[in-house]
Structures are given as C-alpha cells and as structure tokens.
Amino acid sequence: EVSMASTDEIMVRVAGMACGGCAQRIQTALEKTLGVQGAEVSYPDGLARIRGNGLDASALASQIAALGYRTSIEGAAVE
C-alpha cells in the first residue's frame, strides 16, 4: 500500500470514442504526460480517470481533444 501525499484525480468526460481501441489510444497518450501517474479510460462509460501530481485539468482535456474527441471536465473546479 503506497501513500501519495498530494495525488490529484481528475475525471474527464470523453465523447466520440467508437471502440475500446479509442479508449486505449487516449490512455496511452495520457500515461506519457508529465505528472500523470496513472490513467484509466472507459469506453462504455465515456470517462477518463487521471491520477497524478500537479495535474492541469484543462491541459489534459485539451490533449484528449487534440486526438479528435470532445471533452468536458467532471466534478472538478478548474483554476
């Protein structure tokens, strides 16, 4: 059991995924992003859950949008 003092979690709603391969493509891109410790993208739920330190929700959503998907940030205050 690992305890991370200041791990952020951001949920991003993703629209436009056609299959599980789309979700995997997004997840792979997110996992390569600085500060991201883990990402889970669910095609059935249309949701990306991103964990890490010092995450910028709008930048992560923009990164997903750059892959060709529509995004909105779920339940997080964007500063």
Side-chain angles (χ1 to χ4, degrees), residues 14-23 25-26 43-44 68-69:
V14 182
M17 290 188 286
C19 64
C22 296
R25 180 174 170 221
I26 295 167
Y43 162 62
Y69 305 97

Side-chain angles (χ1 to χ4, degrees), residues 32-78:
K32 293 178 180 176
T33 304
L34 185 65
V36 173
Q37 295 172 339
E40 297 168 13
V41 181
S42 171
Y43 162 62
D45 296 333
L47 198 62
R49 180 188 310 259
I50 308 154
R51 292 177 314 284
N53 294 318
L55 298 178
D56 179 337
S58 58
L60 291 166
S62 295
Q63 182 177 356
I64 296 169
L67 295 172
Y69 305 97
R70 295 180 309 282
T71 62
S72 62
I73 297 161
E74 290 281 306
V78 181

